[in-house]
Amino acid sequence: MGKTYGGGAPLAEVVRSGFVEGVHRGSVVVLDATGAVVAAAGDVTAPVFPRSSNKPMQAVGMIRDGLPLTDPADLALVAASHAGEEFHLARVGALLATVGLGEEDLRCPPELPVGEQAREAVLRAGGGPTRIQMNCSGKHAGMLLTCRRAGWPVDGYWRAEHPLQQRLRYAVEEFTGEEAVAVGVDGCGAPVLSASLTGLAGAYLRLVAADPGTVPRTVADAMRAHPEIVGGTQADDTRLMRGVPGLLVKVGAEGVIAAALPEVGAVALKIDDGAGRARMPVLVSALRRLAVDAPVLAEFAEVPLFGGGLPVGGVRPLW
């Protein structure tokens, strides 16, 4: 695997009033059910930061080290980038309370909800940023519960050298089949581990192809059973999992997304400029290369552009 990401190819175009005003570049890989690469564009073998797309593998690591959760909805929350809706916040608070902890024990930064409706509701009520509203608070709650069960100190649980983070690194490397050659600090303050897009797609394929009852399959099943917890009522990955039975999807920051369908294949992609608007049209084009079809895909095949409040174009896949 190369040591430096080489950048991608043109994957989507921005068309306004019939005029191409911009292009989004990126990299994308499509694997079949055996894990073989059947299509690719850009650099899919060099390491990138998958960001929150790593969360399902981190959840597997937590369960293996004693995360004391049996409710699939709670497991989905640990792997979530939630929208900060009331049901998300209530569930995070309840998890912390099971081990005598509270919001003040979280070390993700105070933020407003990422979900537009939830954010507007907080602002209308005169509220502001809090740690529990941060979209990774479910993951951080899971980390705290794992530390308590494993007997590890809670202090410093978010640091790369902590025993918890060392174990989670092992889980990510196991599923991607690659060494994490770069370790950074994610937006939530916890470590983010590098992987190639090919390794990331392979990890998702392993999650959905795992035997029923195993830890990896338990995480995949929990996320697919509770997609509204993974993202939010209106989140892209939530809507896709609702619309394509069996599909596992998780977005990551900086234009990353990964998806897998058992006995069909997997996709991972990164938009180089981090633009979320290009991510879904490219993902739809990649899924269609695997002959995946569902009405929901048409909803994401093109992101509309507006002028004067009216649709005047869109962001469309080139690849």
Side-chain angles (χ1 to χ4, degrees), residues 5 11 24-27 48-53 185-187 192 197 200 251-257 269-279:
Y5 176 62
L11 294 183
H24 292 289
R25 302 176 68 89
S27 299
V48 299
F49 280 145
R51 304 294 296 273
S52 286
S53 294
V185 179
D186 213 334
V192 58
L197 291 173
L200 181 63
V251 300
E254 293 300 321
V256 175
I257 194 166
L269 67 90
K270 174 179 173 59
I271 305 300
D272 286 352
D273 62 8
R277 67 180 184 177
R279 178 167 50 197

Side-chain angles (χ1 to χ4, degrees), residues 6 82 90 98 143 195 207 262 281:
H82 65 72
T98 63
M143 290 177 176
L207 289 167

Side-chain angles (χ1 to χ4, degrees), residues 13-52:
E13 61 181 3
V14 184
V15 182
R16 181 180 297 275
S17 303
F19 179 79
V20 178
E21 66 172 348
V23 173
H24 292 289
R25 302 176 68 89
S27 299
V28 55
V29 65
V30 181
L31 309 182
D32 67 15
T34 71
V37 175
V38 295
D43 188 348
V44 300
T45 60
V48 299
F49 280 145
R51 304 294 296 273
S52 286

Side-chain angles (χ1 to χ4, degrees), residues 208-264:
V208 300
D211 291 335
T214 61
V215 172
R217 180 65 176 272
T218 297
V219 170
D221 287 350
M223 294 174 68
R224 292 179 291 186
H226 298 278
E228 73 286 348
I229 292 180
V230 174
T233 305
Q234 299 300 319
D236 290 347
D237 39 12
T238 294
R239 292 167 60 195
L240 270 180
M241 284 191 281
R242 284 175 176 164
V244 183
L247 186 68
L248 176 67
V249 190
K250 183 70 190 71
V251 300
E254 293 300 321
V256 175
I257 194 166
L261 193 61
E263 300 181 1
V264 175

